[in-house]
Structures are given as structure tokens and as C-alpha cells.
Amino acid sequence: MSSTPTVRWGILATGGIALTFTKDLLLDPATRGVSSVKHTVVAAASSSSKSRAEAFLKEVAAPSDAKAYGSYEEFAEDPNVDIVYIATPHSHHYQNARLCLEAGKHVLCEKAFTVNAAQARKLAEIAKEKNLFLMEAVWTRYFPLSIYVREQITSGRIGHIARVISDNSMALDPEKSFTDGKHRMVNPDLAGGALLDLGIYALTWVFQTLYHTQPEKTRQPPKLLAFVKPYRGTGNADEHSTMILNFPRSEEEGGDAHAVATTSLRVATSPGASQDTPCVRIQGPKGEIQVFPPSFRPTKTKLILSDGTIEEKDWVYPGPGKGSNWYSGFGDSQHSEGEGRGMFWEADEAAEAILTGRKEAKFENLDESILIMEIMDEVRRQGGLEYPSKIETLDYPVQL
Ligand SMILES: NC(=O)C1=CN([C@@H]2O[C@H](COP(=O)(O)OP(=O)(O)OC[C@H]3O[C@@H](n4cnc5c(N)ncnc54)[C@H](OP(=O)(O)O)[C@@H]3O)[C@@H](O)[C@H]2O)C=CC1
Ligand SMILES: O=C1OC[C@@H](O)[C@H](O)[C@H]1O
């Protein structure tokens, strides 16, 4: 019998990303060289019906004794669940995460963490009170590619970072793709728009290169200037947001660093099907690191130094995958047969934290998730973008 500890997951919601995450979760960790932990799925819940949860468990090939629930509330009480993965729209994260924390479960909650910073702060407070692990599921931070980029920065390869230019945009043709305005990408009731869905990755790259690479004690929040263009189809959801950030730095560190973070659901980072325009450029006096799209799951980096060195790297996502119908999100065709999606690395991190008693994630703690929510609050304040009060509230429980 294996002595490897197994973490027991419950999956809250059965939509697109829940399927992708759970299929990744159930891949053998040995395929990515992990031997310290195993994952299993013991329950799934659908707010639509129990039969939908059953169909979900079947589709992901969960163990046959995994339990299906037709209600999130009943599911949260399941004594066999160690940690819940929350895969509802942004609007629902606060209510759903709070439900699970109140029931004593550890939580991995999809991005954007919440609708606003106040909700994120409240969840962090409850997790702390109850001594539970809580993490925003920003999977990109856990990729070997991201770890490599951060290491190039901290080892000083390009010198003190002067500037980061970061985009995550997709030409989604919203009038055609989301005709009735109800889709979560554009629906204000679901905290839709580019900023919370796609812009968070543009900000993730800015923060993981300019903020997370600093010693924790010296990290300082940036100043922000932002513009927001509303999506005319639904009004209170943005079709693009553009952010300029200034990160304070001492003269010894090269002085203040600047970032430009952009996001759009109308135009793409790299035109057509090409992926040859960098989505992230990290610039220092000794060179530049480029990351190629899509910024949420890049497969290529290029380091260009002023001494003429060029290091190009292709990044493979370990498998075995589950074939070509693997959900890949909007406009993302970057997935090859045989590859996993790459969501298992964040799951490994959550599991490792639970097993070692750590309460926050190592590559983005709760303070950093809260700070990024504060930045997005400020973008919306400067851009005049308000969501309905029922999804901005701290009240709990609220039926959405
Ligand atoms: N990390 C990544 O790469 C990705 C992350 N995401 C994030 O995952 C979350 C979900 O996205 P995605 O899976 O694409 O969304 P889907 O619309 O495909 O699924 C959302 C699920 O949430 C549940 N739900 C509960 N209440 C509602 C409601 N009022 N309206 C719609 N759905 C509801 C439903 O499941 P049920 O009926 O079973 O309760 C639904 O299937 C978002 O936060 C998004 O940002 C999305 C795509 C990629
Ligand atoms: O998180 C995400 O990454 C992939 C995108 O396709 C999707 O819209 C977004 O939610």
C-alpha cells in the first residue's frame, strides 16, 4: 500500500473550468515528477441539480464512491472533504468561499478572488480565525515557467527591473459570442468584463515580477492611473481596461519601476492565430525577458541580454492529457494532445500547504491577493465601473 498522503477534494460547481481543473487534478502526479502527495475527488456539487453533479463526476472519471450533491450548502457539510475548489463566476466567490470556510473546509477559490478587496479581506479574516488554508487559484504563478522568470529577476540577470509591459487580451467578438449579455464574460450581475477575468493575468505578471520578487518586508503598494472603456452591450462591464502603475524603489534599487497592464475582450495580444507578439516584457538595464501568449498559460520565453546572449525556451506541460476536447477557455487553443492543462501545480501547492499546516500559498499570499483586489477596485473607481450592490456586499448569506 502507498504511504503517500492523499488530499480529498470537493468540487463546488460543474462548469467549464471545474471540468478542466478536476481532470488535471486526477492525473497521476508522477507524470510531473511529484511523489509527495496524491489527490482524490470525494464530492462535487451543482446548484442546478444532483444529476448534473453525477454527470460531472462521471465525466471526470472520479472514484465511483464520490458523492454528488444538488446543493452547495449540503456539500459544504460533507465530513470527507478536506479542501474545496470553487469554480463559480466571480460574483459568487465571496458567498461560496465563506460557506465552505464557515463549514471548516480549506478553500482554493478561482480568480478573480472576489468582487472587491473588502470581500477578500473578510474571507482572509475568517480563514485566520478558523485556522484554515485559503488561496486564490492564480494557477499561472505555479508554472515552472513563472518560477524560472522570477529566478532570472532575483538573480539579477537583467539588473534592477525598470519597466514591465503586460497584456492579456482576446478578440472575443463579444456581440456575436455573448449575444444576450447573460454570459459571465460580460454580465455585470456576474462581475463580468475584461478586468476581473483577463486583466487579473496582466496584473499577475506585473505583481509577480515587480512586487513578489522583492523581500516581503520591503514590498510597497504601487500608485495607479487607469482608464476603463465600458462594453456597450451591457454597460457596467469593461471591454478594455488600461493601467499604469508606479512601484516605489530606492535609488540603490534603480529608482521607481513602472508597469503598464492592459486587457481587452475585443482585441487580441497577438493578432490572428499568431502567438509571436510577447504578452509580457520585463525590462532592465542589462536586458529583457519576454513571455509569449497566452499570458495565463504561456509556452515560450525569450531572454535577451545586452551582451548579445539570447536564450529561448519552450515550456512543455506534462501529461498524459485527456484528448482534444479538454476545455481550454476562450480563444485559447494552446493545448496539445498528451499535455495536461497545468492546473495541477496549483493543486499540488494547496495540498502541500494543508499537509504541512501552512495557511497561505507560497507564491501569492493573502495580502498580495487583497492588494491586487484593491488595485482592481481603484481601476473601477477611476473608470466609473460599478457592479450591482448585491454582489459587492459583505452581507452573508445572500441568495444571488
Ligand atoms: N484558471 C483559469 O484558467 C480559468 C478560470 N476561470 C474562472 O473560473 C470561474 C468560472 O468560470 P467558468 O468555469 O468558465 O464558468 P462557467 O459558466 O462555465 O461555469 C460556472 C459554474 O458556476 C455555477 N454557477 C452557480 N451560480 C451561477 C450563476 N448564477 N450563473 C452561472 N453559473 C453559476 C454553475 O455550476 P452548477 O450549475 O454546477 O452550480 C456553472 O456551471 C470564474 O471565476 C473564472 O474567472 C474560468 C476559465 C479559465
Ligand atoms: O482564467 C481564464 O483564463 C483562460 C481564459 O480563456 C478565461 O476566459 C479566463 O477566465
Side-chain angles (χ1 to χ4, degrees):
M1 223 176 75
S2 153
S3 58
T4 311
T6 300
V7 169
R8 302 169 304 171
W9 290 80
I11 310 296
L12 187 148
T14 60
I17 204 61
L19 279 172
T20 304
F21 174 86
T22 312
K23 287 180 185 176
D24 251 24
L25 185 72
L26 291 172
L27 291 176
D28 182 352
T31 60
R32 55 185 177 277
V34 170
S35 55
S36 52
V37 66
K38 285 192 171 157
H39 306 277
T40 190
V41 171
V42 294
S46 171
S47 58
S48 319
S49 64
K50 185 177 171 187
S51 59
R52 185 165 161 151
E54 284 164 352
F56 172 88
L57 288 168
K58 198 165 168 209
E59 185 170 351
V60 299
S64 55
D65 55 355
K67 208 161 166 197
Y69 290 91
S71 128
Y72 295 164
E73 287 74 13
E74 274 177 51
F75 157 89
E77 298 301 329
D78 186 321
N80 293 318
V81 171
D82 299 318
I83 178 164
V84 175
Y85 169 66
I86 293 177
T88 48
H90 318 141
S91 47
H92 289 50
H93 291 174
Y94 173 71
Q95 296 294 330
N96 301 154
R98 189 156 171 184
L99 171 75
C100 297
L101 291 169
E102 303 277 8
K105 305 298 184 205
H106 301 295
V107 168
L108 171 65
C109 179
E110 257 311 330
K111 38 62 61 178
F113 202 22
T114 46
V115 173
N116 55 45
Q119 292 181 342
R121 251 181 249 115
K122 185 69 190 173
L123 293 181
E125 195 183 295
I126 297 170
K128 191 162 187 200
E129 255 168 45
K130 295 192 167 275
N131 202 25
L132 292 166
F133 174 79
L134 173 64
M135 167 179 171
E136 182 181 10
V138 184
W139 59 319
T140 311
R141 292 208 184 212
Y142 296 86
F143 297 165
L145 176 151
S146 288
I147 295 169
Y148 158 83
V149 170
R150 293 193 301 262
E151 280 171 2
Q152 300 315 299
I153 295 169
T154 52
S155 67
R157 257 188 118 197
I158 59 171
H160 291 303
I161 311 301
R163 193 168 71 162
V164 174
I165 300 166
S166 172
D167 179 54
N168 184 34
S169 296
M170 292 183 177
L172 295 179
D173 199 355
E175 285 79 10
K176 281 203 190 133
S177 308
F178 314 123
T179 325
D180 65 4
K182 299 264 187 271
H183 193 277
R184 70 168 188 84
M185 286 300 287
V186 293
N187 185 344
D189 288 340
L190 301 180
L195 179 67
L196 265 65
D197 194 74
L198 301 174
I200 185 141
Y201 291 108
L203 287 169
T204 289
W205 277 102
V206 167
F207 273 79
Q208 73 165 340
T209 54
L210 279 173
Y211 185 81
H212 192 80
T213 49
Q214 296 290 107
E216 217 167 319
K217 277 196 201 125
T218 62
R219 290 176 194 166
Q220 289 186 59
K223 291 240 160 53
L224 170 83
L225 183 63
F227 294 92
V228 170
K229 181 178 179 196
Y231 170 55
R232 58 181 173 269
T234 52
N236 277 340
D238 60 314
E239 78 171 48
H240 356 277
S241 286
T242 297
M243 301 156 256
I244 302 176
L245 301 103
N246 182 71
F247 286 81
R249 291 278 196 281
S250 67
E251 280 312 307
E252 299 78 66
E253 295 165 315
D256 291 359
H258 287 181
V260 181
T262 52
T263 189
S264 173
L265 50 77
R266 186 171 296 283
V267 294
T269 303
S270 200
S274 72
Q275 302 288 7
D276 50 10
T277 308
C279 53
V280 185
R281 295 179 65 191
I282 304 147
Q283 300 176 310
K286 294 199 268 177
E288 160 163 345
I289 305 166
Q290 299 182 340
V291 179
F292 290 80
S295 81
F296 46 83
R297 187 182 184 274
T299 53
K300 190 176 154 193
T301 53
K302 190 169 179 179
L303 174 76
I304 307 164
L305 299 182
S306 44
D307 66 6
T309 306
I310 296 188
E311 283 175 20
E312 285 191 76
K313 279 179 177 281
D314 290 310
W315 297 83
V316 172
Y317 288 69
K322 293 272 166 84
S324 55
N325 62 350
W326 196 274
Y327 173 81
S328 57
F330 305 105
D332 168 26
S333 54
Q334 292 265 307
H335 185 255
S336 309
E337 191 86 20
E339 283 186 338
R341 177 89 178 123
M343 305 199 89
F344 34 66
W345 285 305
E346 65 177 355
D348 292 343
E349 159 60 5
E352 187 189 297
I354 292 173
L355 293 171
T356 56
R358 197 156 38 79
K359 303 302 173 209
E360 299 190 32
K362 67 178 169 213
F363 296 146
E364 186 177 15
N365 63 19
L366 291 171
D367 281 349
E368 191 168 344
S369 286
I370 292 167
L371 175 58
I372 294 176
M373 288 310 311
E374 283 171 354
I375 293 291
M376 295 200 289
D377 284 358
E378 181 59 16
V379 173
R380 293 199 291 125
R381 194 194 66 75
Q382 291 185 22
L385 181 62
E386 273 180 41
Y387 291 126
S389 53
K390 67 179 179 196
I391 66 165
E392 297 261 15
T393 187
L394 286 181
D395 292 351
Y396 171 85
V398 170
Q399 201 56 47
L400 296 175

